[in-house]
Amino acid sequence: MPRPKKCRRICALPRHSSFGPLEGAADGVVEMAVEEYESIRLMDLLGCTQEECAAQMGVARSTVQQVYDAARKKLALALVEGRRLHISGGDYALCPQGEVCPGRSCARRDCGRGRCGCGSCSDKDDGQNSQNILK
């Protein structure tokens, strides 16, 4: 029996969940999970290392690498083949301090610190304060 998946902690849901070509019809849809989006945000946009990303998301570095690799492949597929990219679902838990976190705006690129500053994101999640959202 395989080990159960551990929820990945994310700071905020994406502001927009669907992206696609402006010219003509999209040639299909690529589905990206929210935790894959978060790995792209943390590593590519904010410049986190895999270790920092793993600590932020509450999983092992090897898990982050797998999630990130899958996200990059999906992003490339959407861009190169002109498909619509839709971000939803997955196995994730929202940061319990997401609404009041002083670093929450890092999801919107205008946070000077560039990292979530709530403090609870670097702690191990006991599962009591987070919302597990499965779609």
Side-chain angles (χ1 to χ4, degrees), residues 90-113:
D91 236 352
Y92 65 92
L94 285 173
C95 173
Q97 304 297 322
E99 291 300 317
V100 295
C101 173
R104 183 173 188 269
S105 59
C106 64
R108 292 170 176 78
R109 289 191 67 179
D110 54 3
C111 174
R113 288 180 300 186

Side-chain angles (χ1 to χ4, degrees), residues 27-106:
D27 295 332
V29 177
V30 176
E31 295 288 338
M32 179 181 282
V34 174
E35 63 266 20
E36 292 169 337
Y37 159 82
E38 182 75 349
S39 71
I40 293 284
R41 186 185 74 84
L42 290 172
M43 288 195 277
D44 289 344
L45 181 63
L46 299 180
C48 293
T49 64
Q50 287 184 359
E51 290 80 15
E52 291 170 328
C53 185
Q56 183 91 355
M57 293 178 75
V59 295
R61 189 204 54 80
S62 59
T63 301
V64 165
Q65 184 177 10
Q66 291 172 352
V67 170
Y68 180 69
D69 288 346
R72 293 285 301 261
K73 185 171 184 170
K74 290 175 182 180
L75 189 56
L77 189 63
L79 290 173
V80 172
E81 295 188 0
R83 296 184 184 189
R84 189 169 61 90
L85 178 67
H86 184 72
I87 304 168
S88 69
D91 236 352
Y92 65 92
L94 285 173
C95 173
Q97 304 297 322
E99 291 300 317
V100 295
C101 173
R104 183 173 188 269
S105 59
C106 64

